[in-house]
Amino acid sequence: MAAHILNGTEIGQQIRDELRQQIQELKQAGVTPGLAAVLVGDNPASQIYVRNKIRACEDLGLYSERLTPPATITTDDLLAVVGELNRRPQIDAILVQLPLPRQVDTRRVLLAVDPAKDVDGFHPMNVGALVANRPGLRPCTPAGVMELLARSGIEIKGRRAVVIGRSDIVGKPLALLLLHQHATVTICHSRTQDLPAVARTADLLLAAMGRAAFVTPDFVQPGATVIDVGINRINDPATAEQLFAGYPQRLEEFRRKGSALVGDVHPDVAEVAGALTPVPGGVGPLTIAMLMVNTVQATRQRRGQPAPAHPSKLAAVR
Ligand code: NAD
């Protein structure tokens, strides 16, 4: 039986529609949330990510600006850029797009962002709040996964969750969020032994490793929910033919474009899993939606605005 496909595009849209209403209420109170995105250098993927984030702001009627220091910037000069944004009252949200050039000390830069404006949730203050399960700004992709699970009616409490990947941005915070929702959580990584056997213990399997189609059907307990966080671009026709053997439409699309986006989960997992997020159209759209949620949350807290008159379902996972 084929897995139920969890539609992240639809859920992302629901969240944005709920936010639109909340932003309207804030604007009526004379408050326009403002986001500043710092894009250092000319990394093409980062340019696309930042463009999409700015577009999302514009679509929702938020104030946004993009700062584009050169790739040669020093740590001190970038700290000065962040310091200036910290001081500006109309900026509620600051994101520094990663990765930063080699000569820049990324940790110092992330530490310099005012925790109240840290909508990526990377500042140690917000990381500490997450660990202690206290209110704070949560990293967008893991928060998006939780939102997707909640809105898809997938039970977390008491279930066995296996997270593959332990990065500070995805794997680790995701594991903590699942733990706070009472899952029994295992974190796997590149040194885990017999990964397929550990993965097969999962009721909820979450892959965030950045390895195209690595999670094959033998990793999956029949009926498990599989969340694919990975985003990998493949360009090799032989790989595409192998991955998309049973998916003529995807193969056709690959041939037309010369590349395709695939997750960490092999398409054949759809034959074993109970529910599955697609790539694209799964977790991806949730990340930007949650950035917008965090921006509104940061605005409300910084400017002493009351809780929304029309609370969204988001409260369920905050
Ligand atoms: P990362 O490279 O920082 O971390 C990868 C993790 O996977 C590491 O902890 C590593 O130990 C683990 N890993 C790598 N190879 C492994 C293996 N063979 N077996 C077991 N574990 C292994 O990556 P990241 O920033 O956490 O991102 C992970 C993936 O998620 C990437 O594909 C990235 O593009 C994607 N991502 C998607 C979104 C989104 O919006 N959907 C957001 C962020 C990241």
Side-chain angles (χ1 to χ4, degrees):
M1 204 188 78
H4 172 59
I5 300 299
L6 303 170
N7 188 332
T9 307
E10 232 168 59
I11 294 175
Q13 196 53 52
Q14 270 174 24
I15 295 171
R16 289 191 200 202
D17 289 344
E18 289 165 12
L19 276 182
R20 217 179 285 283
Q21 203 170 8
Q22 295 189 19
I23 291 163
Q24 220 40 51
E25 288 168 14
L26 282 169
K27 283 186 160 180
Q28 275 158 15
V31 172
T32 300
L35 175 142
V38 182
L39 170 64
V40 179
D42 45 20
N43 176 324
S46 295
Q47 283 174 335
I48 294 172
Y49 290 143
V50 169
R51 190 175 65 208
N52 289 340
K53 291 168 185 178
I54 299 281
R55 269 196 198 145
C57 288
E58 287 169 354
D59 174 52
L60 289 177
L62 304 184
Y63 172 76
S64 63
E65 51 185 77
R66 200 179 63 134
L67 292 90
T68 55
T72 51
I73 195 166
T74 63
T75 302
D76 284 344
D77 287 349
L78 191 51
L79 288 174
V81 170
V82 169
E84 171 71 23
L85 293 172
N86 283 343
R87 285 187 291 276
R88 284 177 49 198
Q90 67 275 43
I91 297 296
D92 300 284
I94 301 171
L95 73 88
V96 180
Q97 186 65 43
L98 301 180
L100 292 172
R102 275 222 192 122
Q103 78 280 6
V104 175
D105 184 337
T106 301
R107 283 189 179 204
R108 274 184 72 201
V109 173
L110 296 182
L111 192 60
V113 175
D114 178 348
K117 300 188 179 188
D118 168 40
V119 279
D120 272 330
F122 295 162
H123 190 283
M125 279 263 292
N126 284 317
V127 176
L130 168 61
V131 173
N133 199 15
R134 297 180 64 85
L137 293 161
R138 307 294 195 230
C140 301
T141 301
V145 170
M146 299 309 288
E147 202 57 43
L148 187 134
L149 291 170
R151 289 174 187 244
S152 305
I154 291 167
E155 182 84 69
I156 298 172
K157 189 167 61 182
R159 300 186 80 198
R160 275 172 306 213
V162 173
V163 180
I164 313 180
R166 58 171 164 187
S167 72
D168 291 342
I169 295 173
V170 188
K172 224 182 284 174
L174 180 54
L176 286 162
L177 288 170
L178 290 161
L179 180 67
H180 297 328
Q181 302 252 333
H182 313 295
T184 300
V185 182
T186 302
I187 306 176
C188 298
H189 45 77
S190 51
R191 317 274 171 92
T192 297
Q193 292 186 8
D194 201 357
L195 184 59
V198 181
R200 272 197 308 275
T201 64
D203 303 312
L204 288 172
L205 180 61
L206 307 104
M209 54 203 302
R211 300 272 178 272
F214 193 95
V215 175
T216 43
D218 57 315
F219 283 59
V220 180
Q221 180 192 138
T225 294
V226 180
I227 303 295
D228 190 355
V229 183
I231 301 179
N232 312 285
R233 185 167 291 284
I234 55 164
N235 302 299
D236 171 36
T239 309
E241 302 227 351
Q242 200 188 354
L243 284 184
F244 301 146
Y247 308 85
Q249 266 183 336
R250 294 207 68 183
L251 192 55
E252 177 54 37
E253 200 183 324
F254 174 86
R255 288 188 179 132
R256 208 164 6 96
K257 294 187 179 164
S259 72
L261 285 184
V262 295
D264 290 348
V265 175
H266 195 287
D268 290 351
V269 165
E271 299 305 315
V272 185
L276 174 66
T277 59
V279 175
V283 175
L286 271 301
T287 296
I288 291 189
M290 296 315 284
L291 178 69
M292 300 295 105
V293 169
N294 279 356
T295 299
V296 170
Q297 187 188 330
T299 304
R300 199 171 266 127
Q301 274 160 8
R302 282 189 62 246
R303 307 210 207 183
Q305 292 295 312
H310 303 282
S312 70
K313 287 197 237 160
L314 283 163
V317 295
R318 295 261 108 193

